[in-house]
Amino acid sequence: MVATSQNPSKIRIENLGVSYGPDPALRSLSMDIPRNEVFGIIGPAQSGKTTLLKTLNRTIDLVPEASVKGSVYIDDEAVVDAPEPVPAKSLTRHGLRDVCGYRRRIGMVAPLPVGLPMTIYDNVAFAPRQAGVKERGQLDEIVERCLTQAALWDEVKDRLTTLGTKLSGGQQQRLTIARALSHEPEVLCLDEFSIAIDPVTTMRIEDVLRELQSEMTIILVTNLVQQARRLARQTAFILNGELVELDDTEAIFSGEANDPRTNEFVSGIFG
Amino acid sequence: MRKSLTTRQIVAEWIIENLIRLCGISAILFVFGIFFFVFREGAPLLFGEGGFDLIKFLTSPEWYPSSNSNPRYGILALILGTASVSCLAVLISVPFGLGAAIFISEFCGPKLKEGLKIVIELLAAIPSVVWGFIGLTLMKGIIESVFGVPFGLTVLNGAIILALMCLPIIVSISEDALRAVPDSYREAAQGLGATRWQLIYRVLLPAAKNGLLAAVLLGVGRAVGETMAVLMATGHAVNIPIDGTPPYFHALDSVRTLTATIAAELGETAQGSPHYRVLFLIGIFLFCITFTINLVADLVVRGIRKE
């Protein structure tokens, strides 16, 4: 069922299983995520979408009761490599060791915006500073570029020194997108980014994503199935931690997908 | 089914309501009562009784309250005694307290966390006279042998004992402040590739700064107000531990604090005598200091709630 892509895949996931205590969140999931395009992931609540993203950027390590099995490769480099289930906090011994360095390669946007309690400027400069960028001019440049990309620059350019937490919900969400872009990620993960923002802003960000996909791989997890349809070339449908179907987006949404559950989900019968 | 209250229920309700009200008001009454009493005993001096000079009282280092020919009441040495012991105690306890709070809230597992919290609560439950006893015996010997001084009841001794006493307050309030930082901040920062230290230094400490400041201030309040332990551990000698010869601050000198002076001397003065009134004036002075510190801490904590 895996559709062939003209691009070689950026991320390869093989038999990935993640459990929180005894409860499985992902069961033996395998898929390839193509390079430099928007890849949609749809599925109802509790289907394991967020867990998948957490595993991709290795923040799953921070969940004390999680255990992980299977492999994740990014550019053929093993991020997770655990033939047998291992506690997530010991993943440094079963995959990539330099987790902090790795997370800087992945941009992550959470469902609800989290402006860190510092100025707008410092929010965006946070990751570059950690990565050792000290020169003011260089930081200025990064901040302006990222805020512009996130369609926020015009609104905040005169008040970069106000607290990021003082912005409105939609602005904060764009701030988190700017922040996720600040370390020039190879992969940008968006987890239901439009929950907290209005439709107009959502459309502006979708435009931004269309532009960005030439530079990076974008994984778009969304509850709004139409959003996947607008943006993604390929879409995966996940249900109860299992991959039901992965195909060209149009095939998924055509109403004639291979699996009847896909048709039911996209036409709003359940989910 | 009866819907209206019986007379008995109404009366019981009235009694209980007013009892609770009385309990609430009594707390305020006691505070004002204490303040009034202390003020009444000490205040006549402020209005010039017996040629009393407030400036001299605060700036003279001569504390000879029981001299028959010429009693002198200068509390500068006592103020500096309290200040030196408290400052040194805070300098010792703040880094340890913050470090412990960070460890408990960010690094240790749930089991160790519970254990540590219980032990720290226990530390708070040790009576101050027991701390004083430790200072008087154990710490005295340690300081004498480590620093080679003849007499181990010193500023340093009192400060270490006080630091240990302030520690539980600083740790538990700081830990509360750190725990109040939303987990989403931790996830966001670590998702951006922050190491643990970067997360603590760049995100958690700034986010919790008001709570941490309140913790430190309450620790200072405790240090300034503590009596028994410092009375026993600092040697109780009227002495200014600061002078013009290096190292300028002599942590191995004995001092006497404001609180210890009141505790030690009040029982031996005649009620209404100048000495008696001066001790109460010291009480007012202490009250003002701790009130200010607590007020500032309270305002800081309010500041947190507003955010």
Side-chain angles (χ1 to χ4, degrees):
Chain A
M1 246 182 292
V2 176
T4 51
S5 165
Q6 59 267 53
N7 293 329
S9 57
K10 173 76 181 173
I11 300 171
R12 213 166 74 239
I13 299 168
E14 286 171 6
N15 301 321
L16 182 67
V18 179
S19 303
Y20 298 115
D23 310 317
L26 288 178
R27 308 161 204 258
S28 201
L29 188 92
S30 298
M31 62 183 173
D32 285 6
I33 295 175
R35 186 185 302 272
N36 290 14
E37 55 183 59
V38 179
F39 182 82
I41 297 177
I42 57 172
Q46 299 295 315
S47 56
K49 307 184 300 275
T50 302
T51 303
L52 177 59
L53 292 192
K54 277 191 175 170
T55 314
L56 284 185
N57 86 335
R58 284 285 296 275
T59 44
I60 193 81
D61 297 25
L62 308 171
V63 184
E65 71 278 10
S67 66
V68 179
K69 176 182 181 297
S71 328
V72 175
Y73 298 93
I74 177 162
D75 289 335
D76 291 322
E77 186 181 359
V79 176
V80 175
D81 187 13
E84 293 303 318
V86 293
K89 54 178 184 268
S90 70
L91 271 181
T92 36
R93 277 177 274 126
H94 302 274
L96 213 77
R97 293 186 64 90
D98 178 15
V99 193
C100 294
Y102 170 70
R103 286 184 192 137
R104 289 172 194 163
R105 294 163 57 188
I106 311 288
M108 178 65 82
V109 178
L112 293 173
V114 181
L116 290 172
M118 45 181 90
T119 66
I120 296 172
Y121 185 96
D122 290 339
N123 258 284
V124 184
F126 183 77
R129 273 185 181 142
Q130 282 168 353
V133 181
K134 287 207 179 72
E135 203 200 319
R136 187 76 193 186
Q138 210 179 339
L139 284 172
D140 286 347
E141 200 179 301
I142 293 172
V143 169
E144 178 168 354
R145 173 176 60 77
C146 297
L147 285 171
T148 309
Q149 280 180 328
L152 189 61
W153 174 251
D154 289 336
E155 287 165 53
V156 300
K157 66 181 174 203
D158 299 323
R159 47 179 180 138
L160 290 174
T161 52
T162 53
L163 274 178
T165 41
K166 295 259 193 290
L167 292 174
S168 76
Q171 288 174 324
Q172 280 199 45
Q173 187 61 303
R174 280 177 281 160
L175 182 61
T176 62
I177 293 175
R179 215 170 51 196
L181 294 172
S182 65
H183 42 52
E184 297 174 25
E186 302 160 30
V187 179
L188 178 64
C189 303
L190 299 130
D191 190 357
E192 300 182 9
F193 75 91
S194 53
I195 279 187
I197 51 186
D198 64 276
V200 177
T201 312
T202 305
M203 289 302 162
R204 288 178 65 185
I205 295 174
E206 287 185 11
D207 288 340
V208 173
L209 297 180
R210 271 186 210 102
E211 279 170 37
L212 282 175
Q213 62 179 318
S214 58
E215 297 165 36
M216 62 188 72
T217 303
I218 298 176
I219 302 176
L220 177 73
V221 165
T222 180
N223 258 332
L224 308 170
V225 290
Q226 294 306 324
Q227 188 170 58
R229 190 171 197 176
R230 285 193 295 270
L231 291 172
R233 198 184 66 75
Q234 282 190 9
T235 295
F237 173 49
I238 296 180
L239 182 63
N240 292 333
E242 282 170 349
L243 179 66
V244 174
E245 191 150 8
L246 192 168
D247 209 335
D248 286 348
T249 303
E250 272 320 304
I252 295 272
F253 286 95
S254 63
E256 288 160 14
N258 292 318
D259 194 298
R261 289 174 295 178
T262 311
N263 293 327
E264 287 175 19
F265 182 71
V266 298
S267 58
I269 292 176
F270 78 97
Chain B
M1 195 195 291
R2 284 179 65 95
K3 301 266 174 172
S4 57
L5 297 176
T6 63
T7 319
R8 215 179 126 215
Q9 279 174 318
I10 292 171
V11 171
E13 195 74 10
W14 185 87
I15 291 173
I16 287 174
E17 195 184 311
N18 281 287
L19 265 179
I20 291 172
R21 180 169 299 157
L22 190 70
C23 295
I25 293 173
S26 67
I28 302 172
L29 283 181
F30 283 131
V31 171
F32 277 104
I34 290 169
F35 185 71
F36 173 76
F37 175 72
V38 173
F39 198 76
R40 194 191 63 186
E41 299 298 313
L45 291 176
L46 290 177
F47 301 114
E49 190 190 84
F52 179 79
D53 183 350
L54 184 65
I55 304 294
K56 208 171 167 198
F57 170 70
L58 291 174
T59 55
S60 160
E62 297 192 328
W63 179 255
Y64 298 113
S66 42
S67 159
N68 286 326
S69 52
N70 180 20
R72 277 149 291 171
Y73 307 106
I75 61 166
L76 184 66
L78 310 181
I79 295 175
L80 291 176
T82 290
S84 58
V85 176
S86 306
C87 289
L88 194 57
V90 169
L91 282 181
I92 297 169
S93 62
V94 166
F96 274 104
L98 289 184
I102 290 171
F103 177 75
I104 291 173
S105 116
E106 304 302 319
F107 286 90
C108 70
K111 266 188 195 155
L112 185 58
K113 185 184 216 161
E114 282 313 303
L116 275 174
K117 282 172 96 166
I118 291 169
V119 172
I120 285 168
E121 301 283 310
L122 257 169
L123 207 59
I126 298 176
S128 67
V129 68
V130 174
W131 282 117
F133 188 68
I134 294 170
L136 199 58
T137 54
L138 179 70
M139 199 58 80
K140 176 172 182 276
I142 292 174
I143 287 177
E144 279 168 7
S145 59
V146 169
F147 295 98
V149 288
F151 187 57
L153 297 179
T154 60
V155 173
L156 182 66
N157 189 335
I160 291 172
I161 296 296
L162 255 190
L164 289 169
M165 296 176 74
C166 297
L167 212 53
I169 299 178
I170 296 182
V171 173
S172 61
I173 297 177
S174 308
E175 203 258 329
D176 284 347
L178 286 171
R179 206 182 34 202
V181 177
D183 274 342
S184 56
Y185 287 0
R186 294 182 178 82
E187 282 169 24
Q190 291 189 288
L192 287 165
T195 61
R196 261 183 165 172
W197 170 241
Q198 288 170 330
L199 167 71
I200 290 163
Y201 180 68
R202 306 286 291 278
V203 179
L204 296 182
L205 292 185
K209 66 174 186 301
N210 285 355
L212 301 178
L213 195 58
V216 171
L217 284 172
L218 289 171
V220 173
R222 167 94 208 226
V224 172
E226 174 51 40
T227 307
M228 193 46 76
V230 287
L231 170 66
M232 293 166 79
T234 55
H236 206 58
V238 179
N239 173 38
I240 295 181
I242 299 158
D243 62 20
T245 57
Y248 307 112
F249 175 58
H250 304 278
L252 295 171
D253 277 10
S254 293
V255 291
R256 187 196 281 199
T257 63
L258 294 163
T259 48
T261 306
I262 300 177
E265 296 181 1
L266 192 57
E268 295 161 15
T269 59
Q271 190 172 2
S273 67
H275 187 189
Y276 174 87
R277 295 220 185 284
V278 164
L279 290 180
F280 270 93
L281 200 59
I282 295 177
I284 296 173
F285 183 66
L286 268 173
F287 184 85
C288 293
I289 297 176
T290 47
F291 178 76
T292 311
I293 293 171
N294 278 311
L295 185 72
V296 172
D298 195 48
L299 290 175
V300 170
V301 173
R302 263 165 220 260
I304 308 171
R305 294 220 185 101
K306 261 190 199 155
E307 283 174 17

